[in-house]
């Protein structure tokens, strides 16, 4: 019985040391959204990690109560790498990006790097940014 306890102690000690030595690979991304016109509604954010999924299937999504002026949003524990995001101010709280009859957004929006597209959203390459292992802060202005 004693050797079993010793073996369990050694195994748990080795496991703890391996976990402590493992690189932290999780980064936090903080987004400061400026130009928020009112505290009505929610800021909706979609985070993408590839050109293939950009504007199609978010890697992660988040929402934050709008704060007039600047709204802060945070994604925690992301792998370091390349990302892009799109966001909009759902001021009327209907859960979708409102647009006029020809498809032009009627609610404020932004893309990472303050990227703008011609006749539609920008390409991933224009909105792409690097997220290092120690995290980053991105700032965008609503349009």
């Amino acid at each position: 019985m004693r050797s079993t306890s010793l073996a369990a102690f050694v195994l748990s000690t080795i496991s703890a040391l391996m976990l402590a030595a493992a690189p932290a690979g999780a980064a936090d991304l903080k987004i400061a959204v400026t130009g928020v016109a009112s505290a009505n509604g929610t800021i909706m954010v979609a985070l993408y990690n590839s050109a293939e999924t950009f504007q199609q299937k978010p890697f992660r999504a988040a929402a934050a109560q709008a704060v007039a002026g600047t709204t802060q949003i945070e994604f925690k524990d992301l792998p370091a790498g390349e990302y892009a995001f799109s966001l909009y101010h759902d001021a009327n709280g209907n859960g979708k990006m409102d647009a006029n009859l020809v498809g032009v957004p009627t609610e404020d929006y932004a893309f990472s790097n303050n990227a703008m597209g011609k006749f539609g959203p920008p390409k991933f390459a224009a909105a792409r940014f690097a997220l290092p292992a120690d995290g980053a802060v991105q700032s965008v202005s609503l349009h």
Side-chain angles (χ1 to χ4, degrees), residues 54-95:
F54 187 59
Q55 293 299 102
Q56 302 296 318
K57 185 178 180 193
F59 174 67
R60 295 226 187 131
Q65 175 63 45
V67 175
T70 301
T71 300
Q72 303 284 334
I73 299 160
E74 187 170 7
F75 289 92
K76 292 191 164 287
D77 301 325
L78 296 169
E82 293 189 334
Y83 294 91
F85 60 81
S86 61
L87 58 84
Y88 72 96
H89 181 185
D90 183 18
N92 62 7
N94 66 354

Side-chain angles (χ1 to χ4, degrees), residues 26-111:
D28 294 342
L29 170 63
K30 296 178 182 176
I31 303 171
V33 183
T34 62
V36 180
S38 74
N40 296 334
T42 307
I43 304 293
M44 309 290 282
V45 184
L47 182 67
Y48 304 92
N49 62 353
S50 72
E52 294 76 31
T53 61
F54 187 59
Q55 293 299 102
Q56 302 296 318
K57 185 178 180 193
F59 174 67
R60 295 226 187 131
Q65 175 63 45
V67 175
T70 301
T71 300
Q72 303 284 334
I73 299 160
E74 187 170 7
F75 289 92
K76 292 191 164 287
D77 301 325
L78 296 169
E82 293 189 334
Y83 294 91
F85 60 81
S86 61
L87 58 84
Y88 72 96
H89 181 185
D90 183 18
N92 62 7
N94 66 354
K96 64 180 186 170
M97 170 70 132
D98 295 328
N100 65 18
L101 292 175
V102 293
V104 176
T106 58
E107 292 185 297
D108 293 338
Y109 63 93
F111 294 91

